[in-house]
Amino acid sequence: MKPLEEARSEVLSSVGLLGVEQVPIWQGRGRVLATDVVAPENVPPFANSAMDGFAVRAADVSAAGSVLEVIGDLPAGSSTDIEVGPGQAIKIMTGAPMPPGADTVAKVEDTSTEGSKVTISTAVQPGTSVRPAGGDVPKGQVVFTAGTRLTPMHIGVLATIGVGQPQVYRRPRVAFMSTGDELTPPEAVGLEPGTIRDSNRPMLLSLLEDAGVEPVDLGIIPDDPDVLRDALRRGSEADVVVSTGGVSMGDYDVTKMVLQGDADVGFWQVAIQPAKPFAFGHIGDALFFGLPGNPVSVLVSFEQFTRPALLKMQGARSTLRPQLVASAGETLETDPEKTVFVRVFVDGLEEGLPTVVKSGGQASNVLSAAAAADGFAVVPRGTSVVERGDPVTVEMFKWPESREWTDGR
Ligand code: AMP
Ligand code: MG
């Protein structure tokens, strides 16, 4: 059996970078920057008011109770050449550019007006409530480096600096299929005896979308070598082919039968649980991932091999899920021969450390326990038991949102 790390580095070493294209930021979510982004403009582009109030000279408001002459009005979106002279003020709204001469804003709550006069009730320090030009992002600064995967916040920043078409890596096209004579589409009415719902394919579609790829659904493929061969051929026109099922030791493990003659696909036993059987290689120019059939094994092998590969080919700097060190909230007994992925959720905080407990049954068909989990507690090979209170690394695939686990802060 291959250890996890060896299997993963073997997979990743055969992954190359895809080409580069420009996309409108409107379609940028999840795309990976192919170049550093340098700010072509200052953000904000001009010094402006952080408050509704009066633009003044600091020297005029160094003491409480100064009375100034209001000489103009500046709503956001307007600008003026009129200079604020000594003893003068311009009424200004949040976001409006600071008029010449003024260096400070007295907020409206600290003022009272009568006719053309405004009284500033407090002393105001120079520069108060003024947002300087370039105070957020100065022109010429490297804002994001190549390899950054764009979140909604990155997209907002690209918009503020006027980068509407960033250079990003192309999205891989990924053809995917479920194999098995027992599979019934999830939307079918009723189940024939002996059949089950195809849960892998909709889950895979979702996992693929989350990894930023362009999915191509090849559907449910029966355990028929000719049909499978044809599906694999069609799939190989994509960048990547992902199948589930048929890579194990059974009599009807057709994926294995069809591909075994092909020297370019290896059938591996990876020392992980779940998801020990796993096939990897090339079909034509496409990378091939033959995931096992059981849904939790699909999830684990996708997370450990396919997702990192898909992110690597898109140029992402970081290809692994965020990890945290948690405290085991209960005893975890695992197979010391394998790296074991235990479905857990964060249950609370103990002395500042999150505690995790199993989210349900741990058999490889129990997908409900994966839906209830926040991540996988990763119990390394060589360990047979994690005692309650021991530290354990957790790969978080989502952040707890429906459970209270903060300590009240
Ligand atoms: P296999 O490796 O093809 O023998 O599949 C292993 C187990 O996973 C069997 O119990 C299958 O019925 C189940 N399985 C295979 N494909 C799917 C699927 N698409 N959705 C749900 N369960 C599946
Ligand atoms: Mg099967």
Side-chain angles (χ1 to χ4, degrees):
M1 281 196 292
K2 283 179 198 285
L4 169 67
E5 299 72 21
E6 191 182 311
R8 184 157 52 215
S9 60
E10 209 170 311
V11 168
L12 290 179
S13 67
S14 56
V15 172
L17 273 180
L18 293 166
V20 170
E21 63 185 4
Q22 277 186 298
V23 287
I25 50 175
W26 303 97
Q27 279 111 53
R29 188 169 70 100
R31 301 300 289 266
V32 181
L33 291 175
T35 58
D36 292 355
V37 173
V38 176
E41 303 171 356
N42 273 325
V43 182
F46 46 82
N48 67 92
S49 179
M51 294 293 229
D52 296 330
F54 290 85
V56 298
R57 290 169 171 260
D60 284 344
V61 293
S62 57
S66 44
V67 179
L68 305 172
E69 177 78 17
V70 180
I71 60 163
D73 194 356
L74 260 179
S78 65
S79 69
T80 184
D81 295 332
I82 299 171
E83 184 166 338
V84 176
Q88 294 181 330
I90 285 182
K91 192 172 187 190
I92 193 166
M93 298 299 134
T94 305
M98 290 298 288
D103 56 9
T104 301
V105 172
K107 61 176 189 283
V108 73
E109 294 88 330
D110 296 337
T111 66
S112 55
T113 40
E114 215 184 310
S116 67
K117 301 284 184 200
V118 60
T119 304
I120 318 283
S121 57
T122 59
V124 189
Q125 295 298 312
T128 299
S129 299
V130 177
R131 303 189 284 214
D136 180 355
V137 180
K139 180 178 173 176
Q141 189 185 68
V142 174
V143 186
F144 305 128
T145 52
T148 302
R149 190 157 185 238
L150 299 177
T151 65
M153 289 63 84
H154 291 111
I155 286 169
V157 172
L158 292 175
T160 66
I161 58 175
V163 174
Q165 302 254 359
Q167 296 264 358
V168 295
Y169 288 99
R170 186 167 73 72
R171 301 200 304 162
R173 292 182 72 235
V174 182
F176 65 105
M177 66 185 94
S178 288
T179 72
D181 282 342
E182 74 277 37
L183 300 178
T184 297
E187 52 277 353
V189 178
L191 278 176
E192 296 296 324
T195 71
I196 57 167
R197 303 277 179 192
D198 171 18
S199 49
N200 288 344
R201 208 161 38 93
M203 179 174 68
L204 258 183
L205 172 64
S206 216
L207 288 166
L208 289 168
E209 284 174 342
D210 189 50
V213 316
E214 197 185 308
V216 181
D217 186 0
L218 298 178
I220 296 173
I221 307 300
D223 291 324
D224 174 326
D226 291 333
V227 181
L228 179 64
R229 216 171 268 122
D230 181 59
L232 291 170
R233 189 192 47 71
R234 281 183 288 131
S236 68
E237 285 162 23
D239 298 295
V240 179
V241 183
V242 181
S243 69
T244 74
V247 294
S248 192
M249 313 291 272
D251 289 347
Y252 297 90
D253 282 331
V254 170
T255 313
K256 194 167 182 174
M257 274 187 251
V258 165
L259 290 173
Q260 215 152 24
D262 189 331
D264 231 10
V265 175
F267 288 80
W268 298 355
Q269 303 267 293
V270 184
I272 59 176
Q273 190 189 328
K276 186 174 74 169
F278 172 69
F280 176 70
H282 290 85
I283 301 180
D285 291 334
L287 272 187
F288 174 70
F289 292 85
L291 310 184
N294 275 306
V296 182
S297 306
V298 170
L299 177 62
V300 168
S301 52
F302 183 91
E303 287 285 312
Q304 296 306 311
F305 304 114
T306 315
R307 188 173 192 275
L310 295 173
L311 290 175
K312 185 182 174 192
M313 67 181 72
Q314 294 177 79
R317 190 166 38 237
S318 144
T319 60
L320 296 178
R321 295 281 190 188
Q323 297 186 342
L324 61 83
V325 176
S327 161
E330 63 185 327
T331 305
L332 308 175
E333 281 181 42
T334 63
D335 179 349
E337 300 286 307
K338 296 175 185 148
T339 302
V340 179
F341 294 89
V342 185
R343 281 147 272 168
V344 294
F345 63 76
V346 178
D347 191 31
L349 282 183
E350 235 169 64
E351 293 172 12
L353 208 59
T355 56
V356 291
V357 293
K358 284 185 247 178
S359 57
Q362 296 294 318
S364 60
N365 59 324
V366 182
L367 201 50
S368 55
D374 298 321
F376 291 119
V378 186
V379 183
R381 261 181 345 135
T383 301
S384 56
V385 60
V386 177
E387 302 287 357
R388 191 186 183 299
D390 280 355
V392 65
T393 298
V394 185
E395 291 182 4
M396 300 291 284
F397 44 67
K398 82 180 202 354
W399 205 242
E401 53 189 343
S402 56
R403 232 169 279 111
E404 281 294 322
W405 67 284
T406 62
D407 60 357
R409 268 174 298 169

